[in-house]
Amino acid sequence: MYRTALRNVLAHKGRLLMTALAVMLGTAFVAGTMVYSDTFGKAMRDSNSKSYSDVGVQVVDRAAGSNASAKQKSEGRSATLTDATVQQLAALPGSAGARGVVSGFTGVADRKGELIGQFWAAKGANFAPGQDGKDPRYPMAEGQGPKNAKEVALDRKTADKAGYKVGDTVRVAANGPVIEAKLTGVFTTDDPVVNTGGTLTLFDRATAQQTLLEPGRYSSVVLTAKPGTSQDALLAQTRPVVPSGQQFDVETGAKLQADEQADISKSTGSMRTMLLVFAFIALFVGVFIIANTFSMLVAQRTRELALMRAIGASRKQVTRSVLVEALLIGAVSAAAGLLAGVGIGAGMQSLVNSLNENMPSASLVVKPLTVLVTLLVGVVVTVLSALLPALRASRIAPVAAMSSGDQPASQKGLVVRNTIGSVLTAGGLALIGYGAATGDDRGRLPVGLGAFLALIGVFVLLPLLSRPVVALVGPLLRGLGGTPGKLAQQNAVRNPRRTAATAAALTIGLTLVTGITVIGSSVTDTVDRAVTSSMKADYVVSAANHMSLSEQVPAQLAKAPGVTASSPLVSTYWELNGTSESITGLNPDTFEQLAEVKLTSGSAAALGKGQLLVDQDVAKKFGVSTGSTMTVTYPDDSTGQLTVGGVYRTGGMLGPVVLANSEVAKHEPKPYVSDVLVRGKDGATAAFKQSLKDATGANPVIEVKSRQEVRDGFSQTITFALNLMYGLLGMAVLIAILGVVNTLAMSVFERKREIGMLRAIGLDRGGIKRMVRLESVVISLFGAGVGLLLGCFIAWAVNGTLKSTLAGLTTVVPFGQLALFLALAGVVGLVAAIWPARRASKLDILSSIKTD
């Protein structure tokens, strides 16, 4: 039986080619994902390996973080790291020295005034020279370190990127006015921020403290241990000296290094998990192709298997022979997939490095686990996919099988199949509906489980659905193709299981593609409506790094030429009736010129009276209405009463609670200014935009965006995410196309005699080609249509679970895009039929009629 299985593999190489390709592509995706994630992880670890090489113990003041939120900044602090702290730590018995470190965001402008690099990788720090005038962390390749407020030094990559040389004037900015300073030095560094494409600007100590923090304060202190003193011993000496307060982290360099490596492993693990999900989707699509192929092979070898049963082969032996056949195909395909996966891993690394030349890279890492998992997955998926066809083969009755080449499914089997499919589909749809009805993240698990059950149920029911659906397009087929069209319709419904198995692969791909497309369109529409409906200002001015704008910026913008109305948009957190809520502050006198809320009661004029405007969700949550009073607990722990002056519809850019800036300022001396809204006398013009930029000193850190640019920013983010998803699903769609090709090719072989008879009675080669092509298009459109409907329903449910986090979210169906997907599915059917149709048209008439 084993020799028979090997002979069958060798005898049916062409018929098994597409199956082998499906397994190979799926396993290649798995292997490529593992190779790339392991390689990227190693590159990141190597890049960060020197981050704490000179650290014995590090003390960090978390409250000094330049990206602290409005809520954190309002909580204050009890102690700070100062020069006195540094001296105390340097005097410890086990300390060889201590240095104060100042660190924070600093953007660097290029010669055109634009920010160099990305805001999240723009860093500033203090130059801390020793007695020799050098800072060992930042060895100068040219010039010297900064010594006063009018001097800075830049890392080599940033200087080269902008074309700066020692002696040039460089414009930099943190969270304040632009600083124009002389470039006194260009240094080299192994700082991970710089190695990954960021910028690093060095100031002298006093300027760094003034610009990035506050005079006399450090964000961290680094201690080095004396020879013979362990890091743990130095840590024990350090803790009692650190100022009291919960905002300080004290750790050894070894622990910090280990934590960083763990964070890298976690992030690369998350990336690997996401990629593997799409890899297993591709494999799941391949399951249908493999099962379909072996089902057809079993049907084609019915007499051969029956003869084997007649001469003494047991059911187990027949089953085993089919599974051994699958095992051989799986092993060979998985091995090929492993080799292809190494290539995919290398390609992914090259692609990422081409998109960002500063991404760390390393030699390819192929771990034994990658080899084992790839081979195991390929073999297991193939064997399990062939299990049902193998069992079906073992049940062939010897005498009955030798008398007929076709063993139709029993009525009982069809009833059981349709019953199971109906139960799974109904249960899945019910779970999806329940999850959507919750309206928050509690419904995500039911929706996910329901989507899986519904998908499986629909797959089981596809044979039942195929007959009536294909019958509906019968008149169209006959109109387009005449007799070949009629034959194509009959072929498509002749074997519903085969049609369903072929269509199922496309159904999976189109369900996922449709789902993410509808969700993306819905989110884009919601954001667009929020910006359009609530923002009347011509421009929004904000910091590129999402930090609080400097307190000078609102005043600078208000004085810019052409400004008719402006207001800082202040964000803070206060307790309303004992619950923390986000408060948005605006100037009452310009509120109605810059923003709009759709009031259900009350008046926007209430802001000028020091009253609150709350949205419907807050009103419902606290049971308040216009005229109600709410108890407020301010950041200084004092309390007061505020009256609700109006209730507005939930949604928009202003958040749940709006209050006058003057009221916020009474309890927030330095409020968090997230944006400034500005309106001009001539609207959003290029000249007005430039005047706003000029008013801020052409600060590279400050962005000036129109309403359309704000909307485009959100749209670009969503479009990027959608394109990424489409790319990752591309492998599954490609495998689905192979499935259509495979099914048609094997179907042509199976129907050789029928095709020969059609040719003999007058159907020309063009008619044969048309018949096969139309059959392919019908199957593809059937699978795609089911996927579109299921994807829309699942997207509607997912949107239901997002309503609590994205107010005003409604499901938007992009009919144009869905029509395009359906048209592309038809094109896929045409392309997939090229080879099978050509093969069918070239069959010799006499030899086909003689086919046994």
Side-chain angles (χ1 to χ4, degrees):
M1 295 301 293
Y2 295 124
R3 286 197 300 271
T4 301
L6 179 60
R7 185 200 55 147
N8 286 329
V9 171
L10 296 176
H12 301 141
K13 294 187 292 291
R15 279 179 273 173
L16 294 170
L17 176 62
M18 296 300 172
T19 300
L21 278 174
V23 178
M24 187 197 77
L25 289 174
T27 52
F29 201 162
V30 173
T33 293
M34 298 183 73
V35 168
Y36 174 70
S37 58
D38 289 338
T39 302
F40 182 72
K42 181 179 183 298
M44 289 294 292
R45 287 190 292 272
D46 290 346
S47 175
N48 289 271
S49 61
K50 298 180 181 179
S51 299
Y52 299 99
S53 58
D54 62 339
V55 178
V57 170
Q58 180 174 269
V59 182
V60 177
D61 181 359
R62 293 196 307 273
S66 58
N67 291 321
S69 69
K71 185 176 182 180
Q72 291 171 325
K73 287 183 180 297
S74 68
E75 292 174 350
R77 62 182 187 276
S78 57
T80 60
L81 299 176
T82 62
D83 285 324
T85 311
V86 174
Q87 292 170 7
Q88 284 181 293
L89 293 172
L92 292 173
S95 173
R99 70 170 184 270
V101 177
V102 183
S103 180
F105 169 82
T106 302
V108 183
D110 61 18
R111 293 189 180 276
K112 296 180 180 179
E114 301 297 327
L115 181 69
I116 299 175
Q118 301 296 323
F119 70 84
W120 45 265
K123 178 181 173 184
N126 62 313
F127 182 68
Q131 293 181 351
D132 58 357
K134 298 179 180 179
D135 187 335
R137 298 174 299 164
Y138 309 114
M140 291 293 159
E142 299 176 27
Q144 61 184 10
K147 297 180 179 179
N148 56 57
K150 293 296 183 179
E151 296 179 348
V152 295
L154 293 176
D155 67 272
R156 165 62 71 189
K157 290 183 178 180
T158 300
D160 290 345
K161 193 179 298 182
Y164 286 133
K165 296 180 180 179
V166 172
D168 288 346
T169 298
V170 178
R171 301 174 71 253
V172 299
N175 189 30
V178 173
I179 298 173
E180 292 190 352
K182 179 181 178 181
L183 181 64
T184 61
V186 176
F187 60 90
T188 58
T189 178
D190 54 16
D191 191 299
V193 171
V194 176
N195 290 339
T196 54
T199 62
L200 179 57
T201 306
L202 295 183
F203 303 92
D204 69 285
R205 184 193 63 182
T207 305
Q209 290 176 330
Q210 177 70 39
T211 304
L212 306 179
L213 212 52
E214 61 184 44
R217 187 180 177 192
Y218 295 100
S219 51
S220 64
V221 179
V222 174
L223 291 83
T224 53
K226 287 181 177 178
T229 301
S230 68
Q231 291 187 357
D232 289 333
L234 182 58
L235 177 68
Q237 296 174 17
T238 303
R239 290 191 185 279
V241 181
V242 174
S244 59
Q246 296 182 351
Q247 77 265 26
F248 296 103
D249 289 329
V250 186
E251 292 291 353
T252 64
K255 178 64 165 54
L256 293 170
Q257 181 75 32
D259 289 345
E260 187 169 85
Q261 299 291 342
D263 289 340
I264 292 172
S265 298
K266 185 177 179 180
S267 61
T268 54
S270 299
M271 176 187 67
R272 173 189 292 202
T273 300
M274 183 192 72
L275 292 174
L276 284 176
V277 166
F278 287 93
F280 281 106
I281 288 172
L283 283 170
F284 186 55
V285 172
V287 165
F288 292 92
I289 298 174
I290 299 165
N292 201 21
T293 301
F294 277 94
S295 294
M296 295 175 72
L297 285 175
V298 166
Q300 292 172 10
R301 286 159 40 199
T302 297
R303 292 189 178 184
E304 174 190 330
L305 294 172
L307 181 60
M308 293 173 65
R309 289 292 314 281
I311 62 176
S314 67
R315 286 188 172 186
K316 287 184 178 179
Q317 286 178 310
V318 172
T319 302
R320 200 177 299 130
S321 70
V322 177
L323 292 180
V324 168
E325 200 173 331
L327 177 66
L328 292 172
I329 295 169
V332 172
S333 303
L338 176 62
L339 295 176
V342 174
I344 289 174
M348 291 174 70
Q349 181 174 234
S350 298
L351 175 63
V352 171
N353 288 342
S354 67
L355 296 175
N356 185 348
E357 61 182 12
N358 295 298
M359 289 298 289
S361 60
S363 56
L364 287 181
V365 177
V366 184
K367 294 183 177 180
L369 180 63
T370 300
V371 177
L372 179 63
V373 168
T374 303
L375 295 177
L376 192 61
V377 165
V379 170
V380 169
V381 167
T382 309
V383 171
L384 288 180
S385 302
L387 183 58
L388 283 178
L391 292 174
R392 199 176 299 131
S394 70
R395 292 172 183 163
I396 295 175
V399 176
M402 283 188 284
S403 64
S404 172
D406 187 19
Q407 297 297 307
S410 66
Q411 187 65 31
K412 179 181 178 182
L414 291 175
V415 170
V416 171
R417 178 190 180 107
N418 293 337
T419 301
I420 293 174
S422 299
V423 170
L424 287 173
T425 303
L429 295 179
L431 276 173
I432 292 173
Y434 167 75
T438 61
D440 54 36
D441 55 8
R442 293 174 301 160
R444 291 173 191 172
L445 181 60
V447 168
L449 179 59
F452 178 75
L453 291 177
L455 202 58
I456 298 298
V458 167
F459 292 158
V460 176
L461 289 176
L462 280 178
L464 178 66
L465 297 173
S466 64
R467 287 185 182 274
V469 173
V470 175
L472 286 175
V473 298
L476 180 62
L477 289 175
R478 288 192 292 272
L480 290 173
T483 299
K486 182 178 180 180
L487 292 171
Q489 178 199 358
Q490 293 173 348
N491 290 333
V493 297
R494 177 185 300 179
N495 192 330
R497 283 188 175 181
R498 182 187 304 162
T499 299
T502 307
L506 282 170
T507 298
I508 298 171
L510 266 295
T511 297
L512 295 171
V513 168
T514 301
I516 62 176
T517 300
V518 173
I519 292 171
S521 297
S522 302
V523 172
T524 300
D525 175 75
T526 302
V527 172
D528 183 69
R529 283 188 288 107
V531 173
T532 303
S533 64
S534 61
M535 179 179 166
K536 295 169 70 176
D538 294 318
Y539 287 101
V540 177
V541 182
S542 57
N545 59 353
H546 308 304
M547 290 168 53
S548 174
L549 288 167
S550 170
E551 58 187 14
Q552 298 102 321
V553 171
Q556 291 171 340
L557 293 170
K559 296 176 183 177
V563 173
T564 58
S566 69
S567 170
L569 201 65
V570 170
S571 298
T572 188
Y573 286 83
W574 290 354
E575 286 192 5
L576 299 180
N577 289 355
T579 302
S580 179
E581 290 290 343
S582 173
I583 310 289
T584 300
L586 279 164
N587 291 345
D589 56 335
T590 58
F591 174 78
E592 294 187 282
Q593 299 178 63
L594 301 171
E596 182 178 9
V597 290
K598 296 181 180 179
L599 291 161
T600 59
S601 65
S603 169
L607 283 178
K609 302 174 183 178
Q611 297 178 350
L612 294 168
L613 298 182
V614 300
D615 70 11
Q616 291 172 315
D617 286 347
V618 170
K620 182 179 179 181
K621 178 180 178 181
F622 294 103
V624 297
S625 59
T626 300
S628 301
T629 57
M630 302 186 74
T631 301
V632 186
T633 303
Y634 301 107
D636 57 4
D637 292 329
S638 63
T639 60
Q641 298 286 324
L642 286 177
T643 302
V644 176
V647 178
Y648 56 91
R649 291 181 185 175
T650 301
M653 61 180 289
L654 296 183
V657 182
V658 179
L659 186 63
N661 277 332
S662 55
E663 293 297 317
V664 175
K666 292 178 181 178
H667 306 279
E668 299 273 358
K670 292 185 177 181
Y672 184 90
V673 182
S674 59
D675 306 278
V676 178
L677 302 181
V678 184
R679 190 166 185 174
K681 62 180 180 180
D682 297 322
T685 64
F688 183 44
K689 182 176 182 178
Q690 188 60 50
S691 75
L692 295 178
K693 286 186 175 181
D694 293 341
T696 65
N699 193 321
V701 175
I702 294 179
E703 296 179 331
V704 181
K705 291 184 177 181
S706 66
R707 277 181 291 179
Q708 188 59 48
E709 287 171 333
V710 172
R711 292 154 67 182
D712 290 345
F714 284 109
S715 298
Q716 287 172 3
T717 301
I718 295 171
T719 300
F720 174 79
L722 288 177
N723 290 338
L724 177 63
M725 294 291 184
Y726 293 152
L728 293 173
L729 287 171
M731 188 70 76
V733 175
L734 176 60
I735 292 174
I737 295 172
L738 291 178
V740 178
V741 176
N742 199 27
T743 298
L744 290 173
M746 298 186 73
S747 178
V748 166
F749 179 85
E750 192 178 64
R751 304 199 315 256
K752 283 176 67 176
R753 175 182 289 180
E754 174 190 321
I755 293 171
M757 290 296 295
L758 290 172
R759 290 292 313 282
I761 63 175
L763 190 62
D764 60 12
R765 288 185 173 181
I768 295 294
K769 288 182 180 179
R770 199 177 308 122
M771 176 186 72
V772 175
R773 288 169 183 164
L774 288 174
E775 180 184 352
S776 175
V777 171
V778 166
I779 293 174
S780 298
L781 290 178
F782 170 61
V786 174
L788 289 176
L789 293 174
L790 193 55
C792 287
F793 183 69
I794 292 173
W796 166 80
V798 172
N799 284 340
T801 67
L802 296 174
K803 287 183 178 179
S804 62
T805 54
L806 192 58
L809 179 65
T810 57
T811 299
V812 175
V813 180
F815 291 103
Q817 283 182 272
L818 300 191
L820 178 62
F821 293 158
L822 199 61
L824 289 175
V827 173
V828 163
L830 280 175
V831 172
I834 291 175
W835 177 58
R838 184 180 177 84
R839 183 182 178 189
S841 68
K842 289 187 175 182
L843 290 175
D844 182 78
I845 297 175
L846 293 179
S847 62
S848 298
I849 293 174
K850 290 192 301 181
T851 299
D852 193 14

